[in-house]
């Protein structure tokens, strides 16, 4: 339920974003960001509520490989999503929002990685693929947000990096839908 609300809030953010663009207004920062950021809260609650206590008992090998993956992703996000994305000419609010997006994406990716590991170790392979697909969706969203943060000052110019960010956002939504469909087939 919380995950659905979170994705619905992201949809609301996209609607406001499109309204801003359609009316020739600067879409960032705007009210659209409020809906996007609220979506992260509900997604986080939903993912936390899904894990169970068994995830604390993961094998050392699985924990180490998961930690290595997350450490590499974290370093990339910190470098590209924070250091490279900082724009001295942008407002404090714009820089802060970009930072929050990268950090929120990373947090949700951590939770999804934990759920994938938990699915492998305790719930069997049938739950692994839906969680893995949702993890890829979050990774795609994270990559899009990092690219957007790096080019947000020229985002509406239609250059290659902006198009890539939009493609990654679209792929993310498609993967979220596919992951939830797979999850529903297993549960039903």
């Amino acid at each position: 339920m919380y995950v659905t609300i979170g994705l619905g809030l992201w949809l609301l953010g996209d609607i406001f974003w499109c309204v801003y663009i359609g009316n020739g207004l600067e879409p960032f920062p705007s009210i659209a960001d409020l809906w996007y950021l609220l979506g992260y809260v509900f997604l986080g609650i939903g993912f936390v509520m899904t894990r169970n206590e068994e995830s604390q008992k993961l094998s050392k090998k699985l924990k180490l490989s998961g930690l290595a993956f997350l450490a590499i992703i974290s370093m990339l996000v910190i470098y590209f999503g924070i250091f490279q994305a900082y724009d001295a000419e942008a407002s404090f609010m714009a820089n802060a929002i970009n930072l929050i997006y990268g950090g929120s994406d990373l947090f949700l990716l951590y939770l999804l990685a934990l759920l994938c590991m938990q699915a492998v170790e305790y719930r069997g392979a049938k739950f692994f693929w839906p969680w893995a697909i949702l993890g890829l969706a979050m990774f795609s969203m994270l990559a899009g947000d990092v690219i957007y943060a790096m080019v947000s000052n020229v985002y509406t110019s239609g250059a290659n990096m902006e198009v890539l960010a939009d493609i990654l956002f679209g792929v993310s939504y498609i993967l979220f839908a596919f992951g939830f469909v797979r999850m529903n087939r297993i549960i039903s």
Side-chain angles (χ1 to χ4, degrees):
M1 167 112 164
Y2 287 102
V3 173
T4 303
I5 292 170
L7 290 173
L9 289 167
W10 277 2
L11 174 64
L12 210 56
D14 283 340
I15 291 169
F16 274 91
W17 177 275
C18 290
V19 168
Y20 272 79
I21 294 288
N23 289 312
L25 300 172
E26 178 63 36
F28 179 78
S30 71
I31 191 72
D33 295 299
L34 173 68
W35 301 116
Y36 288 132
L37 294 174
L38 280 173
Y40 282 101
V41 172
F42 282 91
L43 285 165
I45 291 169
F47 293 148
V48 166
M49 290 178 66
T50 304
R51 13 178 329 266
N52 66 28
E53 294 75 33
E54 295 297 317
S55 62
Q56 303 302 323
K57 301 176 187 172
L58 296 173
S59 70
K60 282 186 180 183
K61 181 180 177 182
L62 199 55
K63 282 182 183 178
L64 286 175
S65 59
L67 276 172
F69 169 75
L70 293 174
I72 291 167
I73 297 299
S74 297
M75 287 186 286
L76 291 171
V77 169
I78 289 168
Y79 180 74
F80 289 107
I82 296 173
F83 294 129
Q84 293 293 313
Y86 177 77
D87 182 2
E89 295 177 17
S91 69
F92 171 79
M93 182 67 76
N95 281 313
I97 290 172
N98 273 334
L99 176 67
I100 291 169
Y101 280 133
S104 298
D105 287 334
L106 201 53
F107 177 69
L108 292 181
L109 191 62
Y110 288 164
L111 292 175
L112 283 166
L114 183 61
L115 288 169
C116 285
M117 289 186 288
Q118 179 179 317
V120 166
E121 192 112 344
Y122 292 100
R123 294 188 181 171
K126 68 179 182 177
F127 278 97
F128 171 75
W129 287 111
W131 287 118
I133 293 167
L134 293 174
L136 286 173
M138 203 62 242
F139 184 78
S140 181
M141 184 66 70
L142 170 66
D145 278 340
V146 167
I147 290 169
Y148 175 82
M150 290 169 44
V151 298
S152 62
N153 57 337
V154 293
Y155 184 75
T156 54
S157 70
N160 291 339
M161 292 302 280
E162 294 84 18
V163 172
L164 178 59
D166 284 337
I167 289 170
L168 288 167
F169 293 142
V171 166
S172 175
Y173 285 129
I174 291 167
L175 288 170
F176 272 119
F178 187 60
F180 287 123
V181 166
R182 292 272 315 236
M183 184 74 72
N184 189 44
R185 286 184 181 160
I186 292 170
I187 295 170
S188 316

